[in-house]
Amino acid sequence: METAQDLIVCEHCDTVYRREVLTRGQVACCVKCGAVLERHQWIGLDGQFALILAALIVFVIANATPIVSLGLSGMSSATTLWGAVIAMWNDDSQVVSVLTVMTLFFFPLSQILIFGWVLWFARDGRRAPGFARAMVALHYVKPWSMIEVFMLGVLVAVVKASTYFDVIPGAGIWSFAVLTVLITIFASHDPRELWNVTRETPA
Ligand SMILES: [Zn+2]
């Protein structure tokens, strides 16, 4: 007997296929419209959970330690992300500071926490309480988590500032760099796979 988990539906043209087990590097595509049905998942659930834990730790360090210190004729001043946000707020750039907090703090943190929550249960093949809502939330949060955009901006700013100041990168900037890599690894992963590897637990 076939269950819904053995079938896969093309998101674009609604053609139904029988699910095949994919090997490393394989991608299943829709024959009718060419859309990607499924990719081989190269990190196991425990591996993903370990990555999320690492991301959470790095995230805390990134927010708590100075991003850069600027030095000018013997004086130096270091700032954390939050120091910069508060400075922008006081400098009448409230819109920018709110956007910064949302894209660099709120959305990445929710992404990490929601993913961690569903993965924690998925490791035993279970669906976390609120699984469906969490998966929908992940889908909407993902595009708003923009740490990689921030990294580019900081690099440009650092290069420009180094003409006038002695710029010393702080631990915060390295943490954000590591976080960019971790989040990119996650982005290459399809969270929809969690629907297939978990089962509803009887209440
Ligand atoms: Zn299709």
Side-chain angles (χ1 to χ4, degrees), residues 9-17 29-37:
V9 181
C10 174
E11 279 188 355
H12 296 267
C13 67
D14 292 339
T15 315
V16 180
Y17 296 90
C29 290
C30 176
V31 188
K32 251 184 162 174
C33 71
V36 172
L37 297 172

Side-chain angles (χ1 to χ4, degrees), residues 186-203:
F186 264 99
S188 73
H189 226 80
D190 193 346
R192 287 176 301 178
E193 173 66 12
L194 288 175
W195 285 102
N196 307 321
V197 295
T198 56
R199 294 289 180 274
E200 206 69 65
T201 37

Side-chain angles (χ1 to χ4, degrees), residues 25-149:
Q26 266 192 328
V27 180
C29 290
C30 176
V31 188
K32 251 184 162 174
C33 71
V36 172
L37 297 172
E38 198 178 17
R39 288 173 197 282
H40 173 69
Q41 306 285 307
W42 53 284
I43 312 172
L45 289 175
D46 284 320
Q48 290 184 50
F49 190 73
L51 271 177
I52 272 292
L53 269 188
L56 188 60
I57 295 165
V58 175
F59 184 83
V60 172
I61 300 172
N63 277 280
T65 53
I67 296 171
V68 282
S69 26
L70 298 178
L72 184 64
S73 45
M75 307 230 302
S76 96
S77 152
T79 185
T80 61
L81 174 67
W82 289 94
V85 165
I86 292 165
M88 281 191 286
W89 181 273
N90 291 333
D91 200 29
D92 285 330
S93 308
Q94 281 90 351
V95 176
V96 182
S97 61
V98 168
L99 277 177
T100 309
V101 169
M102 294 309 262
T103 52
L104 293 182
F105 183 79
F106 180 74
F107 288 119
L109 183 62
S110 350
Q111 204 183 2
I112 292 170
L113 290 181
I114 299 171
F115 223 143
W117 171 252
V118 289
L119 278 175
W120 173 259
F121 288 90
R123 284 158 65 240
D124 308 326
R126 288 182 300 150
R127 283 187 185 167
F131 180 81
R133 253 173 295 157
M135 294 299 282
V136 172
L138 268 184
H139 178 77
Y140 284 111
V141 162
K142 206 173 168 186
W144 291 101
S145 164
M146 297 188 191
I147 285 174
E148 63 276 25
V149 179

